[in-house]
Amino acid sequence: MDYQADAIDRVIKNAIKVMEDSKYQMFEILEASRQELTSLNHELQRTLKETTETLEKVDQLELNYRRSRIRLTEVSRDFVRYKEEDIKQAYEKATQLQLDLMIYREKEMYLKARRDELQKRVRNVENSVERAESIGSQMGVVLEYLSGELGQVSRIIESAKNRQVIGLKIILAQEEERKRISREIHDGPAQLLANLVLRTEIVERMLAKQEFKMVQDEIVDLKGQVRSSLEEMRKVIFNLRPMALDDLGLIPTLRKYVHDYEEKSRIRTIFETRGKEHRLSSAMEAAIYRLVQEALSNAAKHAYPTYVLVEITYQAQLVKIVVQDNGLGFNVDLLEQKSKDHFGLIGMRERVELLEGRMEIDSAENQGTKIVIHIPTNVEKRKE
């Protein structure tokens, strides 16, 4: 039996090594594809601009050529008013305009073909980036399972099937969150920092040319860029875990989040508390915060309400959470079919079940939605 366990352990370790190597290779492919996509988009924008300018030039040349033809016809017919030199000049001008028109029409055809080719390449690279991100996420899920301790295999096999499904969804959610954070950093702070590097190079060149007034203006802009970068980083850090949750507690942090939510979504939001407020464990407060955050996010994305109520009630051995809106509502029976539109609510229910709580949903089409969550706080005292 020990020999079999060792053999399985070796197989799993080899598989983990292969998957980790493949994951880094996939990351390199993904970064290369993103760089290529950025380069293609820049070239496409230049081509689109040049195409527009060429089309305008062709239209102008066609107009000028028609006028020159009319002029040539006019001077050719009236030998009394116009001399041979006038006819020659009119003919040469018409010929030159015809030649220019032919050249620009050829350029127009080339630019249109180049534009279509670049647009096709951009779509292909976008698809490649999307596939690489999906494969990387799936590989991360597999690594999570393979990296678990071998001694837990028998316990996992004996555990309930629904717990395994919930565990898988949690890992998938974690991978999606990591991918989202990666995109936020790549599209926000990383881009701003890259721009800062470029701007500092410009400042260096200005200093070399002793253009001090321009350097001063550029430094003022750089200060604004740095402030923007700092603000983006703080947003990412806050989304990972609000520091106020540990410092101030659940209620002040939720109160601030609800205030920011109301300002951002333009939805009238009321936050109320009942009972004697007391601190819970860090994990419990983080779980309740995320549940309220998910409920409000779902309301804004899908219900389109004008009013939302958030109510937290502290009782002896449980916390009651109520989130109610006057939005579109939905058929609760569809939730059991695990429709893609209700994936957020399904995730909330499974998260509540992990906390040994229960969640009730009362909703109907065009009648709003009311979510009531009961989370026992005495489970913190039990052994895991």
Side-chain angles (χ1 to χ4, degrees), residues 4-5 7 27 33 35 46 67 88 94 97 105 109 120 141 167 173 175 188 240 245 282 352 382:
Q4 291 178 348
F27 175 79
S33 298
Q35 291 175 6
R46 289 196 300 270
R67 289 174 177 172
K88 180 181 178 182
L97 286 170
R105 278 176 176 167
M109 292 175 60
K120 184 177 180 181
V141 174
E175 288 299 318
L240 286 174
L245 203 58
S282 177
V352 170
R382 304 177 194 172

Side-chain angles (χ1 to χ4, degrees), residues 125-168:
V125 175
E126 285 176 342
N127 292 334
S128 298
V129 169
E130 186 176 348
R131 287 196 297 269
E133 288 178 343
S134 176
I135 293 171
S137 178
Q138 293 170 6
M139 291 172 69
V141 174
V142 174
L143 276 172
E144 285 283 348
Y145 273 103
L146 291 179
S147 299
E149 294 179 6
L150 186 59
Q152 297 178 352
V153 172
S154 59
R155 183 176 61 81
I156 293 173
I157 293 173
E158 293 172 0
S159 63
K161 183 179 179 180
N162 62 333
R163 289 292 181 184
Q164 295 178 11
V165 173
I166 290 171
L168 177 60

Side-chain angles (χ1 to χ4, degrees), residues 71 74 78-83 86:
R71 172 66 176 172
E74 180 182 330
D78 196 344
F79 291 97
V80 177
R81 291 178 56 194
Y82 299 101
K83 301 177 181 179
D86 295 329

